[in-house]
Structure formats: structure tokens, C-alpha cells
Amino acid sequence: RDAVALLGAHTLGRGHKEFSGHRGIWVPNDKLAQVFDKRYYQELVGRSWVPRISRDPLKEDWTTGSDPNDSNSNIIHNPKMMLHTDICLFYDLDANSNCCTRTDLFKSDGESHCPTEKDNQCSVYGGDHPWREASEAVIEYLGAPHVEDDNDNFYEAFRRAWFKATMNGMGDLKPVAKSC
């Protein structure tokens, strides 16, 4: 649960290809990428994410929109992304990683939001799966549905997890040496 809360910080900033090999933001636009809120979880479960294949398998990620394998597609430059570590908080990628997270979403013209995997829904974790707790945490941190300012569950979980991550073992810290 703590890791799920800390990953919620992906709502801020962006991935930079030069530094991480991944490019994009976890939320719809740069302005929203400056707001610390639960939008990361809303994007994770509310959009149709498909794998964006890379020549380097370690740099593959997920995006929304057109066919990610079509070189003429706008998706190659789509600013929205999720990493495998993000997607697997809610979806069981061990069961099937060549899938679309939401095959039930359609555009106004009736076309699926899943450009390549229209009939291949990503599985969610079953009741006895060890990662089921992560998907339950995502739902908890979402708070009330469709209430944009209901960030209380996320803020409290993040506060607890951040405290543990930054204060654990603080009792035996020593002053920094004044010289090398």
C-alpha cells in the first residue's frame, strides 16, 4: 500500500527520454502535471492504455490513442504514458501483457479507444493474487468517484508512506563531516 501511495507522486512532472528512456506525463497535460492530487489513479483506471513498443524492451511503456506500432501514428509522440510498474498496480500483466486496459471505452464515432487490442482486455488481479492489495489501494486512493477535490485518502496514505520512507532509521544519523 505504501508503494502504491508513493507512486501517486507520478501525478507530478514527466518522464524525459534522455534521463529515463521514457517520454511523457502521467496526466492529460503539463498544467495538470504541476498539481499534486489523485489524478494519477484516475488516469490509471479510467483510460484505455496499450503497450507502446520500443526497440529497447527496457524502455517500453504504455500510452493512449492511436496504434502505438504504426510509425505514421500520433501515438509515438503522445505525451501521456504509464510505465509497466504503474499499469501492474491494477492490471495482471503476467496473465497477458499484450492487452488494452479498458476495452469498454469508445469514441463518439463508435471506434474503440483501444487501437490494437480491441478485444483483449487486460486482466485485473483475482481475489487470491498477492498483488490484489495494490489494486485495492488504487481504488481506496481514488476516494469518492467523480469528486475532483476528494484527495483525502490519497493525501493521508502518501503522508504515512512518505514519513516511513524518509524517517525510518533517522535516530542514528551523524552530522556531515565539515571537510573531505
Side-chain angles (χ1 to χ4, degrees):
R1 289 177 125 15
D2 291 340
V4 176
L6 292 174
L7 280 169
H10 275 167
T11 197
L12 297 172
R14 65 175 36 253
H16 193 284
K17 190 170 182 151
E18 182 179 330
F19 301 116
S20 68
H22 300 279
R23 66 193 177 290
I25 52 179
W26 287 265
V27 295
N29 58 56
D30 287 326
K31 184 176 181 181
L32 291 173
Q34 297 175 40
V35 179
F36 187 66
D37 62 9
K38 67 180 182 178
R39 189 168 304 275
Y40 165 79
Y41 306 108
Q42 292 170 323
E43 293 295 314
L44 176 64
V45 301
R47 291 206 185 270
S48 298
W49 296 97
V50 293
R52 178 166 43 191
I53 307 302
S54 170
R55 288 186 185 99
D56 181 351
L58 297 176
K59 295 179 180 174
E60 291 180 358
D61 54 30
W62 294 65
T63 192
T64 61
S66 307
D67 185 344
N69 303 310
D70 179 355
S71 60
N72 295 321
S73 170
N74 290 334
I75 203 160
I76 293 170
H77 305 291
N78 189 331
K80 286 185 281 197
M81 71 155 188
M82 289 279 172
L83 304 174
H84 285 302
T85 52
D86 300 313
I87 297 293
C88 75
L89 292 178
F90 199 76
Y91 299 98
D92 185 354
L93 299 182
D94 289 335
N96 178 12
S97 63
N98 194 21
C99 56
C100 179
T101 61
R102 296 286 307 267
T103 58
D104 61 332
L105 298 178
F106 299 93
K107 299 174 187 173
S108 60
D109 64 2
E111 280 292 311
S112 173
H113 275 281
C114 299
T116 57
E117 303 300 329
K118 294 176 178 63
D119 300 319
N120 195 8
Q121 171 78 35
C122 296
S123 301
V124 294
Y125 295 111
D128 61 341
H129 196 285
W131 290 6
R132 171 91 178 162
E133 186 178 358
S135 62
E136 291 170 350
V138 168
I139 297 299
E140 178 184 334
Y141 303 158
L142 277 169
H146 308 296
V147 180
E148 296 302 317
D149 59 352
D150 179 20
N151 289 289
D152 294 346
N153 291 345
F154 167 55
Y155 289 161
E156 179 57 23
F158 188 88
R159 185 197 63 75
R160 284 191 316 266
W162 184 256
F163 181 84
K164 287 181 193 177
T166 59
M167 300 303 282
N168 192 14
M170 293 290 290
D172 61 347
L173 290 180
K174 309 225 180 328
V176 176
K178 295 195 183 218
S179 65
C180 294

